[in-house]
Amino acid sequence: MTRPRLALALGPLAAALFIAVATFEAFTRPAFDLTRHAISMLSLGDRGWVMAADFVVSGILVIALATGLRGARAGRPGAVAGPVLTAVFGVGLILAGIFPAPAGLGFPAGTPQDLQPVMTTTAIMHSVAFNIAFTSLIAATFVYGRAYGRDRARAWQIASIAVGVALPVLIVAGMAVLIPTGVAFYAAAVLAWLWLAAVALEHAKRVPPAGQAGAEAREAASALRV
């Protein structure tokens, strides 16, 4: 497997890891209520290190994925902006793992139900990380949507733009409590990860296997000698 293909394979891995851990923790942590609590709050409490590690490891994998996307799109539209925005999304995830969300609304267990989250410096940094991650990923959906349009891949173009529209709608709806906050944020996270995994798999098809890549390189070198 070539290095770009290996890096691209990390996209689905990161998506599966993040969604699996977040879902398991959301339904097994005492006092956690998905209708009230954002999944980032799972980084709090005795078992909070699990979700914090999930953020950090997933972020590292996404940054590695960005290098694969750069290689797969070399010479094509979005070859720089798309991978850079993807890498920034990874950085936001790492920061969200380092700086946990504030406690409140009955979580972690023992926290008063009526306690509103207090925006300490750590909480503010988590909020900044959240904005960095989702803003960059939303921007990436439109960058890739435009690139897919120029590639004449209409289905991928439409899907990417649709995700780019749906993500801020879900986030705003959650903040305005038009949809239960935790549910809206969870849905946005799952949608974002599924899109990113799909884009990684689609780009993996553009990268030739190691043997084929080597043969093409040898043919090119032979042609130059001739």
Side-chain angles (χ1 to χ4, degrees), residues 32-39 41 105 130 170-188:
F32 187 84
D33 182 354
L34 193 57
T35 65
R36 304 185 70 205
H37 305 132
I39 56 174
M41 293 178 71
L105 305 175
F130 173 86
L170 284 168
I171 293 169
V172 171
M175 289 180 172
V177 200
L178 299 175
I179 301 173
T181 303
V183 173
F185 287 6
Y186 176 80

Side-chain angles (χ1 to χ4, degrees), residues 3 21 23 29 33 84 95 112 134 157 167 181 188 199 211:
R3 288 184 179 179
V21 171
T23 302
R29 291 287 299 277
D33 182 354
V84 167
L95 292 175
F134 269 94
Q157 177 188 24
L167 289 178
T181 303
V199 168

Side-chain angles (χ1 to χ4, degrees), residues 93-110:
L93 291 173
I94 293 172
L95 292 175
I98 295 173
F99 299 100
L105 305 175
F107 189 82

Side-chain angles (χ1 to χ4, degrees), residues 47-58:
R47 217 163 78 192
W49 66 270
V50 175
M51 192 66 207
D54 191 33
F55 273 111
V56 173
V57 173
S58 297

Side-chain angles (χ1 to χ4, degrees), residues 34-226:
L34 193 57
T35 65
R36 304 185 70 205
H37 305 132
I39 56 174
S40 58
M41 293 178 71
L42 289 166
S43 58
L44 302 171
D46 295 338
R47 217 163 78 192
W49 66 270
V50 175
M51 192 66 207
D54 191 33
F55 273 111
V56 173
V57 173
S58 297
I60 293 172
L61 293 176
V62 168
I63 292 172
L65 163 65
T67 66
L69 289 169
R70 177 71 179 91
R73 290 214 68 85
R76 293 174 175 269
V80 176
V84 167
L85 288 167
T86 302
V88 174
F89 172 60
V91 171
L93 291 173
I94 293 172
L95 292 175
I98 295 173
F99 299 100
L105 305 175
F107 189 82
T111 302
Q113 292 289 335
D114 60 349
L115 176 64
Q116 294 298 313
V118 178
M119 295 306 291
T120 61
T121 300
T122 299
I124 292 172
M125 289 301 298
H126 180 84
S127 180
V128 169
F130 173 86
N131 285 313
I132 288 173
F134 269 94
T135 299
S136 60
L137 191 70
I138 290 168
T141 63
F142 289 104
V143 168
Y144 282 112
R146 182 173 181 272
Y148 279 129
R150 295 180 68 179
D151 289 344
R152 299 186 183 280
R154 299 304 181 194
W156 285 99
Q157 177 188 24
I158 293 170
S160 295
I161 293 173
V163 170
V165 172
L167 289 178
V169 169
L170 284 168
I171 293 169
V172 171
M175 289 180 172
V177 200
L178 299 175
I179 301 173
T181 303
V183 173
F185 287 6
Y186 176 80
V190 170
L191 178 61
W193 279 112
L194 291 178
W195 173 80
L196 189 60
V199 168
L201 290 173
E202 191 278 329
H203 279 79
K205 298 177 182 177
R206 303 169 183 257
V207 182
Q212 182 180 339
E216 291 176 352
R218 287 191 294 273
E219 289 177 5
S222 177
L224 287 174
R225 286 196 296 271
V226 173

